[in-house]
Amino acid sequence: MRWDPQQYARYADERGRPYRELLDRVGAAEGQSAIDVGCGPRGILELLAERVGPRGRVVGLEVDPVHVAMARELVAEQGLTNVEVIQADARLSAHCGVS
Ligand SMILES: C[S@@+](CC[C@H](N)C(=O)[O-])C[C@H]1O[C@@H](n2cnc3c(N)ncnc32)[C@H](O)[C@@H]1O
């Protein structure tokens, strides 16, 4: 199944609030490590980057090369230095380097 990257990039704005509430509930905080599995072209990478801050680390794991390229572009454009996007299949990935 192919996901429409443009749709997901647009869709991300509408979900800001519910995802912020989710991050509040799970206690996502400064200095932590987080992974967005199936991050798509955007997912919640920006929200996680903001929440964990410069001492934290965010990994976006995504299998689709088009989405990976878009997510990496977003990360570069926004200077999200605490975010790394990895192209991998979550079903096969026993690593990611997130402890
Ligand atoms: C429903 S979209 C959600 C995208 C993003 N999380 C969001 O909320 O905007 C699902 C994403 O998961 C990715 N995906 C599906 N199977 C995957 C797998 N096995 N490993 C990594 N990514 C996967 C798809 O390529 C797609 O980008």
Side-chain angles (χ1 to χ4, degrees):
M1 169 174 221
R2 291 235 55 237
W3 310 86
D4 171 7
Q6 305 309 335
Q7 182 207 352
Y8 276 96
R10 268 194 317 277
Y11 189 38
D13 286 331
E14 296 158 14
R15 283 164 313 151
R17 191 172 51 74
Y19 275 119
R20 279 194 180 82
E21 287 166 8
L22 172 69
L23 294 180
D24 291 341
R25 245 183 285 138
V26 297
E30 171 77 24
Q32 292 177 336
S33 296
I35 184 166
D36 185 352
V37 178
C39 63
R42 185 171 182 191
I44 59 170
L45 297 175
E46 296 136 295
L47 287 179
L48 288 169
E50 176 194 299
R51 189 59 65 99
V52 303
R55 290 187 307 110
R57 181 167 182 241
V58 178
V59 170
L61 186 138
E62 171 56 50
V63 72
D64 185 312
V66 175
H67 293 189
V68 168
M70 289 177 75
R72 285 179 176 159
E73 202 180 308
L74 174 100
V75 166
E77 270 166 17
Q78 303 206 7
L80 303 178
T81 52
N82 58 352
V83 178
E84 180 188 3
V85 179
I86 295 176
Q87 183 178 355
D89 184 330
R91 294 166 297 185
L92 311 172
S93 299
H95 62 89
C96 304
V98 174
S99 53

